[in-house]
Amino acid sequence: MGLLRQGNAQLGYFGTGVVIMDMAPVAAAWQPRLLGVLRIVTALLLLQHGTAKLFGFPHVAMFDNLQFLSLLGVAGILELAGGILLLLGIFTRPVAFVLSGEMAFAYFLAHAQKSFFPILNQGELAVLYCFVLLYLAAAGGGAWSFTRGRPRPPSI
């Protein structure tokens, strides 16, 4: 029985053929990067929704003749502007918080009245966006953010 260090991880040998790896240092090193990837992918998906509503690309028939100042039009504005800010990592926490509220509003306004269960009312995506964005509002932007390295407000 012995202990071996490999990079940031510790490998422990117990008995014959059993290896236990301490993942804490690996997880700590990758956490900001994976948080940044989550932010960027979420932003790209929100941008897609915003451009579909406002510019018709990609084309979604439901958004034909969409009024700019209707509820869906305002949602498109929020998704486009918020998606750009999230993609760049600028004002990640407040932007993600506002967009999380938009997704909760969208769920209860458009989906919840059809059924209690999100799988039956096609609201899974709105719920998932809501909680991913709420997580980003709490955790921040992660790596590859324009505001990375600037002083952050103290965490609660």
Side-chain angles (χ1 to χ4, degrees), residues 78 81-83 85-86 90-100 133 137:
L78 288 172
L85 290 172
L86 281 180
I90 301 172
F91 303 118
T92 299
R93 290 173 191 252
V95 168
F97 185 75
V98 168
L99 290 173
S100 175
L133 289 162

Side-chain angles (χ1 to χ4, degrees), residues 8 21 23-38 135 142-144 148:
N8 288 337
M21 184 173 173
M23 292 297 293
V26 176
W30 279 92
Q31 187 272 338
R33 296 177 191 134
L34 292 175
L35 183 59
V37 168
L38 179 66
Y135 176 71
W144 310 300
R148 182 109 175 125

Side-chain angles (χ1 to χ4, degrees), residues 111-127:
H111 299 283
Q113 60 190 353
K114 297 176 188 170
S115 171
F116 176 76
F117 300 103
I119 196 165
L120 297 177
N121 65 27
Q122 290 82 43
E124 306 101 327
L125 193 57
V127 172

Side-chain angles (χ1 to χ4, degrees), residues 23 33 38 51 89 93 103 108 114 130 134 147 151 154:
M23 292 297 293
R33 296 177 191 134
L38 179 66
T51 58
R93 290 173 191 252
M103 292 297 119
F108 286 108
K114 297 176 188 170
C130 179
L134 190 60
T147 55

